[in-house]
Each structure stands twice: as structure tokens, then as C-alpha cells.
Amino acid sequence: MTTGKILVVDDEASVRNLVRSYLVREGYDVIEADNGADALKLARTGHPDLVVLDLMIPEVDGLEVCRILRSEMDVFILMLTARAEEADKLLGLGLGADDYLTKPFSPRELIARVKAILRRGQGGTASTARMVRAGQVEIDSSRHVAMVSGTVLDLTAREFDILSQLASRPGMVFTREKLLELVWGTDFYGDPRVVDVHVAKLRKKLEEDAAHPRYLITVRGVGYKLETGEK
């Protein structure tokens, strides 16, 4: 039986009821909120494994809730939106959402995405080596710690996994599709450009000057690689 706690945030009771019924059927513990302020309180006290978060909610909107949660905790976020515009989707991902679904959605697809996200959180997708070094970049997977030049980086689980994969083969170019497979899993249903968003956030934390990266290099039209930074 599946286990895990999920916070469902939507101001429509019919949507919450539908999502809750499918999640409970799969064995998840579900807590609910119908506005952003209550969602933040429940996330802080209930410690969910994943938040199913609607974009258009009262008091504090979904994007702001996503931003705040990302600044306070490392929880998975699946965003729901009735807006089909690409800007809304990418903005949500840029603030830290792990995936999104556009309304109306299939409950079965939502369950599939929830399972895929939580499965990635159980480990096994990142490099299994205990300590990986690539020049000044060091990754200790046993302690889930990443450092550059001895400074510990404040990374999300997804950023840590991306860096671990790149550092496992310094100088090797990883395509976006390969990183999706290694970090998000073969059953990922979302937008492949989620890789670009997370790499951009990782680069800001890793590099002294993200505009002129020393370590995390973009190979235009191909993908990304991690250089040692040594001349």
C-alpha cells in the first residue's frame, strides 16, 4: 500500500473531494486547505510529503504559496492551473514547482504524477557513490551534502540530484532527456523544460557569476555538463 501525506489546496470543494477520494484510495493520508493562508499553516505544522497546489486560490495565491514553501522547506509541489498560457506554467516551475497539471485533468493522470514525484524522492535516481568530486565540487550522497570550494550549497532535492549526476561524469554532456530519465524518472509526464528551470536555479547557487559559469556549462543545442573549473 502506498504511504505518504499530501496537502491538497484548492478553493473548489468539488476538486478537493475528487482529488482526496483518489489519493485516499491509493493509501495516502490527505489534508486539505481552501486558501493560501491555511495552506501555509498546514504545510508548516503537518509536514506533507507533497503539496497539490491550485494556482488561483484566495488570500495568498498559488505562486506566492509555492515561493514561500520553497524558501522554508524542501517539499514536492504539483501545481494545478486553469491557465493554459506558457508563461504561467514556466513561472510556476521557476518558483520551484516540480510539475504541473492543467485543468480539467484526469484524476488517474494526477495519481500517476503524484506517484512519480514521490518515487523520485525515495532515492535511487542520483549517483549511488558516497563521495563524488569534480574539481572544487564535492558531493557526499550519504549525508546529502554538496559543496563548492568547501562551502556547503543550499540545494533542493532535485538540484542535488542534477548536480550528482553531472558530477559523476565530469566533462560529459548530459542531454535534457537523459537528465529527465536519471533525475525525474522514465515515467515523468511533464514539460521537459523543467530541466532548464532547475539547472538555472542550481547554477545561481553553484557559480560566483551565473552569467559566466565556471562549472555548470550549457552546450547549446545538446545539454549540460559539469567542468572541474581547472585551467
Side-chain angles (χ1 to χ4, degrees), residues 62-146:
L63 290 178
E64 181 65 9
V65 170
C66 181
R67 186 192 67 77
I68 294 172
L69 290 179
R70 270 290 168 261
S71 69
E72 295 183 357
M73 63 191 75
D74 193 11
V75 62
F76 291 113
I77 299 174
L78 172 60
M79 186 162 282
L80 304 179
T81 174
R83 300 180 182 179
E85 291 84 356
E86 197 67 23
D88 289 325
K89 298 175 182 178
L90 295 180
L91 178 56
L93 291 171
L95 288 174
D98 295 281
D99 199 357
Y100 64 83
L101 272 176
T102 302
K103 294 181 176 180
F105 56 85
S106 161
R108 290 184 178 180
E109 183 179 2
L110 181 139
I111 293 298
R113 295 203 188 190
V114 165
K115 288 183 176 180
I117 291 171
L118 291 178
R119 191 178 303 121
R120 297 196 299 267
Q122 294 172 356
T125 57
S127 173
T128 56
R130 293 175 62 85
M131 179 66 77
V132 175
R133 292 185 176 87
Q136 295 300 311
V137 178
E138 299 182 33
I139 295 133
D140 185 345
S141 59
S142 65
R143 296 189 298 131
H144 210 268
V145 172

Side-chain angles (χ1 to χ4, degrees), residues 3-18:
T3 58
K5 180 183 288 187
I6 298 178
L7 170 59
V8 178
V9 187
D10 199 296
D11 61 339
E12 296 182 52
S14 59
V15 174
R16 294 198 311 276
N17 292 338
L18 177 65

